[in-house]
Amino acid sequence: MENLAVLLPVIGLLVALTNIVTQVLKRMTWDKMPTNVVAVIVAMVLTVAAGIAYCQLKGLAITWYLVVGLIVGGFAVAYAAMFGFDKLKEILNWGDKDG
């Protein structure tokens, strides 16, 4: 249960970092790549890097199923970053609509 208490804030942090890095890269690439593709790539890199760093800090062996789990987690982070940000913008703009 202790690991779950650490995992949830880490996922939130990865989603926030994915959004920030994606926005920066989107401006640097002058919108040549679709934003969703950039978000998936950034989420994968950040999630796998964070997982490997955690394993190194804790002295855990990096196994094939851990790598698969990190990749699945990367897709979850990308999904949350892509659609969570849009929903948050929609909620924040809700009060600005006339009608």
Side-chain angles (χ1 to χ4, degrees), residues 1-13 54 58:
M1 195 60 155
E2 179 181 313
N3 290 338
L4 185 61
V6 171
L7 184 64
L8 293 177
V10 168
I11 290 174
L13 180 64
Y54 178 79
K58 292 293 186 178

Side-chain angles (χ1 to χ4, degrees), residues 13 52 59 72 86:
L13 180 64
I52 291 172
V72 170
D86 292 338

Side-chain angles (χ1 to χ4, degrees), residues 25-91:
L25 289 177
K26 192 169 80 168
R27 298 202 192 280
M28 288 176 53
T29 60
W30 296 282
D31 295 328
K32 291 180 183 176
M33 289 180 64
T35 305
N36 288 345
V37 173
V38 174
V40 170
I41 292 169
V42 169
M44 287 295 172
V45 169
L46 289 176
T47 303
V48 171
I52 291 172
Y54 178 79
C55 288
Q56 292 296 315
L57 288 173
K58 292 293 186 178
L60 302 173
I62 299 172
T63 57
W64 67 269
Y65 51 85
L66 180 66
V67 174
V68 169
L70 290 172
I71 291 171
V72 170
F75 279 114
V77 168
Y79 182 84
M82 288 185 289
F83 298 109
F85 183 72
D86 292 338
K87 291 295 181 187
L88 180 63
K89 266 190 356 186
E90 183 179 304
I91 290 169

Side-chain angles (χ1 to χ4, degrees), residues 13-29:
L13 180 64
L14 287 171
V15 169
L17 285 174
T18 299
N19 279 328
I20 292 167
V21 173
T22 299
Q23 289 299 321
V24 170
L25 289 177
K26 192 169 80 168
R27 298 202 192 280
M28 288 176 53
T29 60

